[in-house]
Amino acid sequence: MAGLISGIGIPVLAFAVSRLALLLIGLLARDLAFVPEEYVWVYDERTWLDIWGVWDTGWFMSVMYNGYMIAVSTNPDTLSQANWAFFPLYPMMAYAVSELTGLSGYGALLVVPNLCFLAALIWIRAEAKALYGTASANWAVVFLCVMPGTHVFSSAYSEATFLLFIVGTLAMARKGHWLMTGCMAALAVLTKNFGVLLLAPMAVYFLQRNFTQPLSARNLISEFPGSGGRGELVRFAVSLVLPCLALGSFMLFLYFRAGDFLAFATIQSAWGRSMVLPIISLFSPLGPLVGNHGFTVYLWPNVIAAWVAVALCMALLLKRQWAHASFCIPGMVLLLSAGILSIFRLVLPLAPLWMVAGSFMAARPKLSWLLLLLILPAEALLMWGWALGWPIF
């Protein structure tokens, strides 16, 4: 009973305290520094709700209310952009909540991520406890609730939903529940496109569970179909098919809607995104030091987040968490190949990074408390900017 209480109580307490603190910071920002003429996002007359909606919130609302666009926008503020870039599951979930409860569409867009984040915290604590121990699990939960950018998990964005389905996929795969794994992975893919990278840790977990000898072509052939037998192999194969079907279905829909199977990717150029070498994104701050190009201060949170995420990817390798590393490392490569913009937000759902961070924090508690004292003001500043519409993400 004590384990159950701590498994739920600690995440609930961390969630409640951190969300209340963020709410107060947002309200204070609106009260002291708000300039209505410079703020274009107004989704609710109640300030305590309105502070959580900014930037991409409008795109999610457009999918929720109007479905996907047939052609790109001609509005000067969103010229050549389209909501094809935003995957359907999060706005669909919000629409269902709105219809079932009578909440406004914007209210539902806030309810979904907050419930998903709370559920993800509970699940992450359980997974981190199984992999790293109780103290590490508690630190992982606390870190997720106070880390710079954590306010996004409670905003009208899809990061919290993606976080839940990522940790769900990894947890189910580790336990060998392959059909549930496939369903979770399919839901992740329908939330963000790089959820398809979950196929890698699924395969790693399958091999670890079913093949006892060092992995090689000869051992795979000699032990085939593995200790789980053909039944588990079939269930694993089905689990791989489900997320592929999910992505393929959305791509087919986009082809009939927009005339492009990869519209979710090609439309990114309308936001100024283009493919670059990941190493260029990591070293982008050096540009102003060696050339004549400026580097806006708003990009620095993204650069810092990118380097921290890369370091934690290396930590996963040091901890021999092969399944988690097989997801996070390709994920970081993919994210960085699209440039440094929004990396700060996009790395937030990579649950394995924060679990391994919790393990290091548990091993060095005094240093970890000092770290918290440093990052709390950073997150307070970011929440302040979020409530005022700063172009951070």
Side-chain angles (χ1 to χ4, degrees), residues 7-94:
I8 297 177
I10 291 175
V12 169
L13 180 62
F15 173 87
V17 172
S18 62
R19 301 309 100 175
L20 178 59
L22 291 171
L23 174 63
L24 294 176
I25 292 169
L27 291 175
L28 188 62
R30 284 291 184 92
D31 186 53
L32 298 179
F34 187 54
V35 181
E37 295 80 12
E38 299 177 3
Y39 192 83
V40 298
W41 306 279
V42 179
Y43 298 111
D44 199 289
E45 294 180 353
R46 295 162 291 186
T47 305
W48 67 277
L49 289 177
D50 191 57
I51 59 175
W52 303 103
V54 69
W55 298 97
D56 291 347
T57 298
W59 289 111
F60 287 118
M61 292 190 72
S62 80
V63 174
M64 184 178 176
Y65 285 121
N66 305 314
Y68 284 94
M69 300 161 64
I70 298 176
V72 298
S73 173
T74 56
N75 186 313
D77 295 328
T78 57
L79 189 63
S80 299
Q81 297 177 357
N83 59 12
W84 310 326
F86 301 89
F87 275 55
L89 185 59
Y90 167 53
M92 287 172 60
M93 291 172 65

Side-chain angles (χ1 to χ4, degrees), residues 270-347:
W271 279 268
R273 296 181 184 274
S274 59
M275 297 295 289
V276 298
L277 291 174
I279 196 72
I280 293 177
S281 296
L282 283 174
F283 286 98
S284 54
L286 295 181
L289 300 181
V290 298
N292 297 319
H293 304 289
F295 188 82
T296 174
V297 68
Y298 292 123
L299 289 178
W300 275 103
N302 295 297
V303 174
I304 296 171
W307 277 101
V308 169
V310 168
L312 290 174
C313 285
M314 298 303 102
L316 288 173
L317 294 176
L318 291 174
K319 293 283 188 177
R320 297 179 179 271
Q321 293 293 339
W322 311 121
H324 286 185
S326 71
F327 171 63
C328 290
I329 293 176
M332 283 304 302
V333 170
L334 180 64
L335 292 176
L336 288 169
S337 68
I340 201 68
L341 186 65
S342 299
I343 285 290
F344 185 68
R345 169 172 54 85
L346 297 174
V347 300

Side-chain angles (χ1 to χ4, degrees), residues 75 104 152 196 205 239 301 310 373:
N75 186 313
S104 67
V152 178
V196 73
Y205 273 131
S239 75
V310 168
L373 292 177

